[in-house]
Amino acid sequence: MNYSWIVVSSLLCSVAYGSNLTFPPGFKFGAASASYQVEGAWNVSDKGESIWDRLVHTKPEAIMDLTNGDVTCDSYHLWERDIEMATELGLHFYRFSLSWPRLMPTGFSNKISEDGQKYYNNLIDGLLDKGIEPLVTIFHWDLPQSLQDLGGWMNPLIVDWFEDYARVVFSLFADRVKTWVSINEPVSICDYVYNTGGMAPPIFEPHVAPYVCTKHVLLAHAKAWRIYDEEFRPMYNGEISLAIPLIWHEALSAEHEELAELLRENIAGRYSHPVYSKEGGWPPSLEKHLEEVGKRKGFNKSVLPPFTKEEIDLIRGTYDYYGMNFYTSRLVRKARPGESIGAWPMNGAPDFDAAFEKDPSWVAGYSSWFYVTPEYFRPQIMWLKEKYGDLKFLITENGISTGPGLDDRMRVEYYRDHLKELLLAIHEDGVNVVGFTAWTLMDNFEWNDGLGSKFGLYEVNFTSPQRTRTPRASAHYYKSIIDTHSIPKTIYEN
Ligand SMILES: *[C@@H]1O[C@H](CO)[C@@H](O)[C@H](O)[C@H]1NC(C)=O
Ligand SMILES: *[C@@H]1O[C@H](CO)[C@@H](O)[C@H](O)[C@H]1NC(C)=O
Ligand SMILES: *[C@@H]1O[C@H](CO)[C@@H](O)[C@H](O)[C@H]1NC(C)=O
Ligand SMILES: *[C@@H]1O[C@H](CO)[C@@H](O)[C@H](O)[C@H]1NC(C)=O
């Protein structure tokens, strides 16, 4: 058989489709990384300290295997090898992030590092020399510690500080960088951080902080988008949006559907509705629920800070595409009386009295939060299309964590299965998806999971001085997808 039949999940109608395994003309493939996870060189030249530098040095036990990002892939020195790998794979684009404290050591725009500029100029020019588009994330979690000392994302002035940073970044690189991600995964910065207290900054405050942070992140993004739109787009004609991570929330059974939908509004809607909906502002159902939560907790008002009319207008429409990260899903049900509920977004949702479960058939990845659920990739994209209209989608991250080893059948099949679902969304549902980004180019420092959790197409030997990078089976498979512009059979199939 050289085609497959896929039975669409019960959310959509139960019809079997013959699938077209060819990507549309012009569809682009890339791979991604992030500064703190790959660069190392945390204290070279005039680089400032980031909140992740501070966490790993003062609370090493926060990292599962006690490793840190001091050296990690050493991409600060080995960036030429990174470009070589992108070339070997035949990538159309390489998504990487800028380290704010490497570029602006004080966190403010009074000082711009020559060394930081040189590093990113080398990387950008080196990629362009090979015909690979640099896709640049302005902020991927490594906030300058100097700004954290002033409250970080809880201080409303972060909006101005981010605006200054974005202007510096555009003035340095926008002549060559045409696709931008303003902020990667607001949910991680705001919800994962303050609901667990385990990431950087290590602050546990699950009642107020996640929601206040959400507002500031959206305002910061909107300011950056407007600067680009007004001052740089006329010259360079590029694009900028957020990268929003989505975990599909599926009702455990029909009686929990309303709750599951409210949780979708919390993870997708809270970060998307203000930007992508016609009316702007918070999703109405979420606004109503979080007002009740505020009263229940004794605040006498919503835990979700209101937007002014000006703020709604500032944020609404600040997008050029929808950047979506997708990894996994959860089954949702109402918590039982007295049941203890884990932290949102991975383990439960205390503000929603919701407990999470996994389907027994779901295969686990290496990370504790990871279950393989390609069947929900397509419903998630359709949910966004139904809510916000016929947007242009760019998949900004997708991938799986495994243990070590070059024969990563699980990753090969993960990409095959997710890309098949993506093609169904394109061909059967008419969704406009323009590109796909594999997370990640090579193994790197996987935040609290340390160096043990491997997401790479390339394996990295973290004990060799050259941090030797070797392609896995998945790298060869991804290359064959790019070369054929379709989904070929894997080496594990006849
Ligand atoms: C499959 O999709 C590709 C890309 O959109 C298109 O060019 C081709 O005509 C389609 N093939 C069939 C059999 O529909
Ligand atoms: C940089 O940090 C490393 C540890 O990662 C340390 O060994 C080295 O002395 C530091 N260098 C400077 C210049 O502070
Ligand atoms: C709480 O809200 C009620 C009703 O809106 C109001 O009467 C009361 O004064 C408020 N209490 C505080 C402490 O703000
Ligand atoms: C990693 O590199 C070290 C040092 O060069 C070497 O001894 C070791 O065999 C390498 N490990 C693997 C799995 O290749």
Side-chain angles (χ1 to χ4, degrees), residues 165-429:
Y165 170 46
R167 184 180 274 106
V168 167
V169 164
F170 295 141
S171 61
L172 292 175
F173 308 120
D175 57 336
R176 288 155 290 155
V177 174
K178 303 296 177 185
T179 310
W180 298 91
V181 169
S182 57
I183 296 173
N184 182 71
E185 297 199 348
V187 173
S188 303
I189 302 167
C190 295
D191 295 85
Y192 213 149
V193 164
Y194 297 109
N195 284 336
T196 67
M199 300 178 80
I203 296 170
F204 178 69
E205 201 301 299
H207 303 295
V208 171
Y211 303 110
V212 172
C213 173
T214 305
K215 178 175 173 176
H216 296 161
V217 163
L218 289 168
L219 288 168
H221 155 76
K223 291 268 189 168
W225 189 91
R226 294 203 178 275
I227 287 176
Y228 188 82
D229 193 51
E230 285 156 27
E231 300 172 29
F232 296 90
R233 196 196 302 277
M235 278 184 287
Y236 303 125
N237 199 29
E239 303 196 319
I240 172 167
S241 285
L242 293 158
I244 299 180
L246 296 170
I247 299 167
W248 178 255
H249 291 79
E250 175 73 1
L252 182 64
S253 60
E255 65 189 290
H256 305 290
E257 177 51 33
E258 201 181 323
L259 179 61
E261 178 62 14
L262 188 59
L263 282 160
R264 287 173 213 140
E265 289 289 8
N266 193 42
I267 192 159
R270 173 144 52 98
Y271 294 97
S272 305
H273 194 277
V275 176
Y276 291 92
S277 69
K278 299 228 166 8
E279 63 276 21
W282 302 118
S285 61
L286 188 67
E287 201 166 34
K288 181 165 170 284
H289 177 77
L290 291 175
E291 174 137 19
E292 284 159 19
V293 170
K295 289 186 176 146
R296 191 176 77 198
K297 288 185 176 180
F299 290 108
N300 213 14
K301 61 179 182 186
S302 181
V303 287
L304 194 61
F307 285 124
T308 65
K309 174 79 175 67
E310 288 71 28
E311 288 168 340
I312 288 174
D313 292 342
L314 178 78
I315 297 170
R316 187 181 50 198
T318 55
Y319 67 87
D320 297 307
Y321 60 88
Y322 193 103
M324 168 177 174
N325 296 357
F326 183 85
Y327 290 97
T328 190
S329 307
R330 291 292 184 270
L331 297 178
V332 173
R333 62 166 170 80
K334 287 194 183 73
R336 299 176 190 107
E339 181 176 1
S340 94
I341 304 173
W344 197 77
M346 294 306 179
N347 299 317
D351 281 355
F352 297 78
D353 293 319
F356 290 175
E357 294 194 8
K358 71 171 195 76
D359 188 288
S361 72
W362 291 351
V363 173
Y366 179 93
S367 321
S368 59
W369 52 270
F370 211 113
Y371 301 105
V372 180
T373 61
E375 65 273 30
Y376 294 120
F377 194 17
R378 184 179 171 195
Q380 179 67 76
I381 300 171
M382 284 306 291
W383 188 91
L384 294 168
K385 183 178 172 175
E386 277 160 22
K387 293 273 167 177
Y388 309 121
D390 204 0
L391 302 170
K392 177 163 89 180
F393 287 91
L394 173 64
I395 307 306
T396 34
E397 288 180 24
N398 177 246
I400 184 176
S401 60
T402 65
L406 296 177
D407 185 15
D408 57 341
R409 177 173 185 164
M410 213 178 171
R411 182 170 294 102
V412 168
E413 293 177 345
Y414 184 92
Y415 282 126
R416 177 196 62 193
D417 295 345
H418 282 78
L419 284 167
K420 280 188 177 178
E421 294 294 327
L422 191 64
L423 276 182
L424 286 171
I426 292 170
H427 293 309
E428 304 298 335
D429 307 328

Side-chain angles (χ1 to χ4, degrees), residues 13 38 63 126 140 194 346 376 432 480:
C13 45
V38 300
I63 311 305
H140 199 128
Y194 297 109
M346 294 306 179
Y376 294 120
N432 178 19
S480 73

Side-chain angles (χ1 to χ4, degrees), residues 95-98 135-140 180-184:
R95 177 181 170 215
F96 61 92
S97 80
L98 307 174
L135 195 160
V136 173
T137 307
I138 298 173
F139 181 75
H140 199 128
W180 298 91
V181 169
S182 57
I183 296 173
N184 182 71

Side-chain angles (χ1 to χ4, degrees), residues 474-488:
S474 58
H476 297 295
Y477 185 61
Y478 197 52
K479 179 176 170 51
S480 73
I481 290 171
I482 298 171
D483 286 350
T484 61
H485 210 62
S486 72
I487 306 179

